């Protein structure tokens, strides 16, 4: 069916008006509703009442010239420009030129008028005016979007960006509520910004989350007008059709927020931008969909910039931590090395200069000092290298299936061979479910550091108990001693590098063992806790899950 256009003929000659009417009604390509006026005053009155798509205007009217009327129409009546075709007489080229200068769409010489000429002129005028209107609309839309983009991208703080975006879109689309929903890596997700706080928002988003966890589903027709290609490209084709069923109401308009990745044609679906209109069904216009899409593109750029900034800031913090750590290492090395080095040097020079005067046992004692001090220096270097690897996230985690009962039995046996007889090493086990995927080297680090602490900080000896407990979901073990214990105030910091208790006195140490143990436990996805009472002893407990949650 053809569109019907309203056309007004303003001409004082009834015969001419009839001719134009006849010609136009014969047009096979367009249909018209034709209005007529025989003077300027009636023409003005009609234009005030009715919106005409095109006006045919005689150059000479009884009460006003065509040019004067055209001027009046433009100044006083037209809110949006209406195309005017001037009808001139033979030899009135000057009027025609003047009319075109004033903005008339076209002019036709009455005497030469043929049906096809008139039809074509009117059709062209309508077409041009439609294009003009579309152009204006596009310009206005681009202006609005540019302003919105500017506001959204003024901040580099993600929360602020999202809040500005929802507020701006609500203004642009004049809807009740706008939300941003962010997907989580597990295809769950949550609302991260809403222009209105309401329980309905929460309800709607719970739906999104529930549906996202369902896999499969057919292709549904989506009331929300989300372009299907975007969704499939985003790789969420499994949950998307179901997800969008939630929006299968004309009141919601949903567009994806895609972050661009460097891989060709592979955008990452970050989330959804949702406009919601609660009062009845709203028929969204195509330019509203386009506005939301374009805002979503701008929002994606802003999100990407904010994420980049956050990453750079995190890298900077990490860099600062590493620098602080390195300074600490330099300070510790120079401090911790000076004392044993002085002892080694003193022992070595005594041996060199006076060996002929020293008896066998004295020489052995000096050699013993050199060996012991060199060993502790070497251990310090080893520990610092281990901690450094953890700080740089470079520690390798290579889990294998392990029988922890056998593993710890062997370690305790080795310990028993070297430990002084002031100590009673007790090994207990509960439950027999002690198989686990673990990294031998890291588990050994945990054991060695905790056991060495238990022995070192129990200078008077006593019981040191190792208890291994296996359950269905985890393997736990603790090492408990009867040593000096740790002051409560010191306990919270002991898992940080270089932290030591204030009661250690002359017991040697650098404060790295517990930090290493903690990092090893965390690589297994487990936890480590400490319970201690001054003068009573210390118990350190490690829990390791059997189902590893980390990637390896
Ligand atoms: P090293 O790096 O040689 O292990 P360190 O033993 O001082 O030195 P950590 O093993 O990290 O370092 O222990 C940190 C601090 O925690 C110790 O200095 C000590 O004060 C306290 N601590 C740890 N285990 C015990 C324990 N079983 N009994 C008493 N204090 C302990
Ligand atoms: Mg230690």
């Amino acid at each position: 069916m053809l569109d019907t256009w309203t056309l007004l003929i303003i001409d004082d000659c009834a015969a001419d008006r009839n001719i134009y009417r006849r010609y136009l009604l014969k047009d096979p390509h367009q249909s018209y509703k034709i209005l007529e006026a025989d003077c300027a005053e009636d023409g003005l009155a009609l234009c005030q009442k009715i919106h005409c798509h095109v006006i045919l205007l005689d150059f000479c009217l009884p009460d006003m010239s065509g040019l004067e009327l055209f001027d009046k129409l433009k100044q006083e009546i037209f809110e949006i420009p209406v195309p005017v075709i001037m009808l001139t007489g033979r030899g009135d080229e000057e009027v025609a030129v003047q009319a075109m200068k004033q903005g008339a769409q076209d002019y036709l010489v009455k005497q030469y008028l043929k049906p096809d000429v008139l039809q074509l002129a009117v059709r062209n005028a309508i077409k041009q005016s439609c294009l003009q209107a579309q152009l204006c609309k596009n310009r206005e839309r681009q202006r609005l979007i540019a302003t919105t983009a500017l506001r959204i991208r003024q901040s580099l703080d993600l929360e602020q960006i999202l809040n500005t975006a929802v507020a701006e879109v609500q203004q642009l689309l004049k809807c009740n509520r706008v939300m941003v929903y962010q997907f989580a890596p597990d295809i769950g997700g949550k609302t991260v910004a809403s222009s209105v706080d309401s329980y309905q928002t929460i309800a709607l988003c719970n739906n999104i989350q529930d549906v996202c966890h369902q896999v499969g589903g057919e292709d549904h027709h989506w009331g929300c007008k989300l372009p299907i290609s975007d969704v499939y490209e985003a790789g969420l084709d499994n949950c998307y059709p179901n997800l969008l069923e939630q929006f299968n109401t004309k009141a919601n308009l949903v567009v994806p927020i895609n972050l661009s990745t460097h891989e060709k044609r592979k955008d990452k679906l970050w989330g959804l931008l949702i406009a919601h209109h609660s009062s009845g069904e709203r028929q969204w216009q195509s330019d509203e969909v386009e506005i939301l899409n374009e805002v979503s593109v701008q929002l994606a750029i802003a999100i990407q910039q904010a994420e980049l900034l956050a990453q750079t800031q995190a890298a900077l913090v990490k860099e600062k931590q590493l620098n602080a750590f390195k300074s600490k290492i330099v300070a510790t090395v120079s401090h911790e090395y000076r004392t044993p080095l002085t002892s080694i040097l003193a022992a070595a020079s005594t041996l060199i200069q006076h060996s002929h005067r020293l008896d066998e046992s004295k020489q052995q004692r000096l050699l013993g000092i050199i060996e012991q001090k060199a060993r502790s220096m070497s251990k310090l270097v080893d520990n610092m290298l281990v901690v450094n690897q953890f700080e740089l996230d470079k520690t390798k985690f290579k889990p294998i299936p392990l029988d922890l009962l056998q593993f710890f039995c062997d370690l305790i046996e080795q310990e028993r061979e070297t430990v002084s007889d002031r100590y009673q090493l007790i090994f207990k086990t509960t439950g027999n479910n002690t198989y686990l995927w673990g990294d031998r080297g890291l588990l050994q680090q945990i054991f060695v550091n905790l056991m060495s602490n238990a022995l070192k900080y129990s200078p008077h000896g006593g019981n040191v108990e190792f208890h291994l407990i296996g359950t269905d979901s985890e393997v736990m073990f603790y090492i408990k001693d009867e040593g000096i214990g740790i002051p409560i105030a010191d306990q919270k910091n002991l898992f940080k590098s270089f932290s030591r208790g204030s009661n250690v006195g002359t017991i040697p140490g650098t404060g790295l063992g517990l930090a290493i143990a903690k990092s090893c436990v965390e690589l297994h996805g487990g936890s480590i806790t400490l319970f201690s009472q001054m003068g009573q002893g210390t118990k350190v407990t490690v829990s390791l899950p059997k189902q590893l949650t980390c990637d390896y």
Side-chain angles (χ1 to χ4, degrees):
M1 212 175 94
L2 299 176
D3 286 337
T4 302
W5 304 91
T6 308
L7 181 139
L8 171 63
I9 306 168
I10 310 177
D11 195 324
D12 57 333
C13 173
D16 284 354
R17 293 201 305 271
N18 254 334
I19 295 176
Y20 310 146
R21 176 185 281 274
R22 249 192 313 118
Y23 286 178
L24 288 169
L25 291 179
K26 271 199 228 151
D27 189 343
H29 305 292
Q30 214 121 291
S31 126
Y32 297 101
K33 178 184 168 202
I34 297 176
L35 309 172
E36 292 180 22
D38 59 1
C39 62
E41 199 187 331
D42 286 1
L44 274 169
L46 270 172
C47 285
Q48 250 163 347
K49 272 198 282 179
I50 297 162
H51 171 69
C52 301
H53 295 105
V54 101
I55 297 174
L56 290 184
L57 178 59
D58 186 14
F59 78 107
C60 181
L61 295 165
D63 47 349
M64 208 181 280
S65 83
L67 287 178
E68 279 170 329
L69 175 58
F70 182 31
D71 222 30
K72 236 177 157 36
L73 284 169
K74 276 198 309 180
Q75 306 286 338
E76 298 169 21
I77 313 290
F78 296 160
E79 275 172 11
I80 46 167
V82 175
V84 171
I85 299 173
M86 198 64 131
L87 298 160
T88 65
R90 197 168 31 205
D92 280 329
E93 279 79 14
E94 255 182 51
V95 177
V97 170
Q98 192 57 36
M100 295 301 278
K101 274 190 185 162
Q102 270 180 240
Q105 191 78 49
D106 204 351
Y107 75 91
L108 297 168
V109 181
K110 286 183 167 199
Q111 286 79 0
Y112 303 139
L113 209 55
K114 297 263 172 349
D116 53 342
V117 175
L118 180 63
Q119 289 166 5
L120 190 67
V122 172
R123 280 206 305 270
N124 279 343
I126 291 174
K127 204 165 158 189
Q128 275 203 34
S129 120
C130 288
L131 287 174
Q132 194 67 37
Q134 189 59 44
L135 200 71
C136 288
K137 219 169 154 187
N138 283 350
R139 274 207 200 113
E140 177 59 10
R141 204 183 61 217
Q142 287 309 327
R143 196 188 60 75
L144 283 177
I145 288 168
T147 321
T148 308
L150 200 73
R151 293 203 188 115
I152 291 175
R153 287 168 60 182
Q154 244 163 17
S155 168
L156 283 170
D157 173 69
L158 186 59
E159 199 184 327
Q160 208 173 342
I161 289 170
L162 299 175
N163 287 335
T164 314
V166 291
E168 288 288 324
V169 174
Q170 189 174 12
Q171 280 279 323
L172 278 177
L173 299 185
K174 310 262 176 299
C175 56
N176 300 120
R177 190 163 59 237
V178 178
M179 288 176 283
V180 175
Y181 183 86
Q182 183 185 2
F183 290 110
D186 61 355
I187 336 182
K190 61 177 189 308
T191 304
V192 282
S194 169
S195 61
V196 180
D197 293 326
S198 84
Y199 78 98
Q200 276 186 355
T201 306
I202 296 161
L204 181 62
C205 293
N206 283 343
N207 283 344
I208 301 176
Q209 192 153 13
D210 292 344
V211 171
C212 265
H213 281 104
Q214 297 170 17
V215 177
E218 301 154 25
D219 262 7
H220 292 280
H221 171 71
W222 303 339
C224 59
K225 302 186 180 171
L226 190 79
I228 194 160
S229 60
D230 286 350
V231 176
Y232 278 93
E233 267 171 37
L236 273 178
D237 41 334
N238 276 342
C239 83
Y240 241 74
N242 277 339
L243 165 67
L244 292 166
E245 261 204 323
Q246 298 299 319
F247 301 106
N248 204 1
T249 150
K250 293 195 177 79
N252 286 312
L253 182 60
V254 186
V255 298
I257 304 170
N258 286 318
L259 302 197
S260 66
T261 61
H262 293 300
E263 291 160 56
K264 220 172 149 200
R265 284 191 59 73
K266 264 201 168 172
D267 281 354
K268 175 184 149 214
L269 183 72
W270 183 92
L272 301 171
L273 182 58
I274 305 159
H276 180 75
H277 205 84
S278 57
S279 51
E281 292 205 338
R282 173 163 167 175
Q283 192 75 52
W284 297 95
Q285 302 303 311
S286 65
D287 63 327
E288 290 177 318
V289 179
E290 267 176 53
I291 286 182
L292 201 63
N293 259 320
E294 292 201 32
V295 171
S296 150
V297 170
Q298 297 299 329
L299 183 57
I301 296 172
I303 291 170
Q304 228 156 357
Q305 282 175 343
E307 285 187 348
L308 213 65
L309 180 75
Q311 279 166 14
T312 315
Q313 279 171 339
L316 214 70
V317 170
K318 182 86 190 166
E319 191 64 35
K320 274 191 187 155
Q321 281 171 351
L322 278 178
N323 279 340
F325 179 72
K326 278 180 194 151
S327 313
K328 194 88 195 187
I329 284 190
V330 173
T332 311
V333 166
S334 30
H335 180 260
E336 293 297 322
Y337 264 39
R338 188 157 293 150
T339 324
L341 259 184
T342 313
S343 311
I344 290 172
L345 279 175
S349 28
T350 311
L351 277 171
I352 292 166
Q353 287 167 23
H354 309 290
S355 61
H356 54 283
R357 282 198 270 130
L358 297 175
D359 62 29
E360 177 78 18
S361 72
K362 230 172 182 165
Q363 286 187 17
Q364 283 304 318
R365 201 176 61 80
L366 289 172
L367 285 171
I369 289 174
I370 292 173
E371 194 210 1
Q372 188 215 338
K373 299 292 175 193
R375 264 187 210 289
S376 84
M377 286 168 77
S378 151
K379 186 189 159 225
L380 176 61
V381 171
D382 287 347
N383 274 353
M384 275 193 292
L385 287 175
V386 171
V387 174
N388 194 38
Q389 290 294 95
F390 275 114
E391 291 286 326
L392 296 173
D393 296 326
K394 278 191 179 163
T395 308
K396 295 266 181 313
F397 178 52
K398 293 184 189 143
I400 51 165
L402 279 176
D403 173 5
L404 286 192
L405 181 56
Q406 190 56 52
F407 179 77
F408 286 125
C409 253
D410 294 345
L411 287 174
I412 298 263
E413 271 321 302
Q414 285 169 28
E415 221 35 75
R416 281 201 177 114
E417 280 166 20
T418 52
V419 79
S420 123
D421 48 11
R422 303 201 294 280
Y423 299 99
Q424 189 69 29
L425 279 193
I426 305 162
F427 181 34
K428 284 194 203 163
T429 175
T430 313
N432 55 6
N433 208 349
T434 54
Y435 288 87
L436 162 133
W437 275 78
D439 181 305
R440 285 188 79 92
L442 300 181
L443 287 168
Q444 190 162 351
Q445 282 276 11
I446 301 171
F447 178 84
V448 168
N449 278 300
L450 298 187
M451 185 54 85
S452 83
N453 282 350
L455 299 171
K456 186 164 70 169
Y457 298 108
S458 305
H460 304 298
N463 290 334
V464 173
E465 182 184 322
F466 180 92
H467 196 155
L468 177 68
I469 304 149
T471 71
D472 285 343
S473 59
E474 62 178 10
V475 179
M476 259 172 64
F477 62 88
Y478 65 77
I479 297 183
K480 190 170 146 200
D481 63 60
E482 298 168 346
I484 62 172
I486 308 166
I488 299 275
D490 299 336
Q491 289 181 15
K492 62 178 183 305
N493 286 324
L494 293 181
F495 290 104
K496 291 184 189 150
S497 302
F498 304 111
S499 285
R500 302 201 71 201
S502 50
N503 60 334
V504 291
T506 55
I507 303 174
T510 45
L512 291 176
L514 285 181
I516 292 173
K518 183 168 191 272
S519 300
C520 296
V521 170
E522 282 171 353
L523 275 183
H524 284 83
S527 62
I528 181 166
T529 51
L530 178 149
F531 177 79
S532 184
Q533 276 181 303
M534 279 280 279
Q536 305 276 312
T538 301
K539 178 179 169 187
V540 183
T541 307
V542 172
S543 306
L544 303 172
K546 288 186 170 170
Q547 288 281 318
L548 277 175
T549 48
C550 41
D551 297 335
Y552 53 88

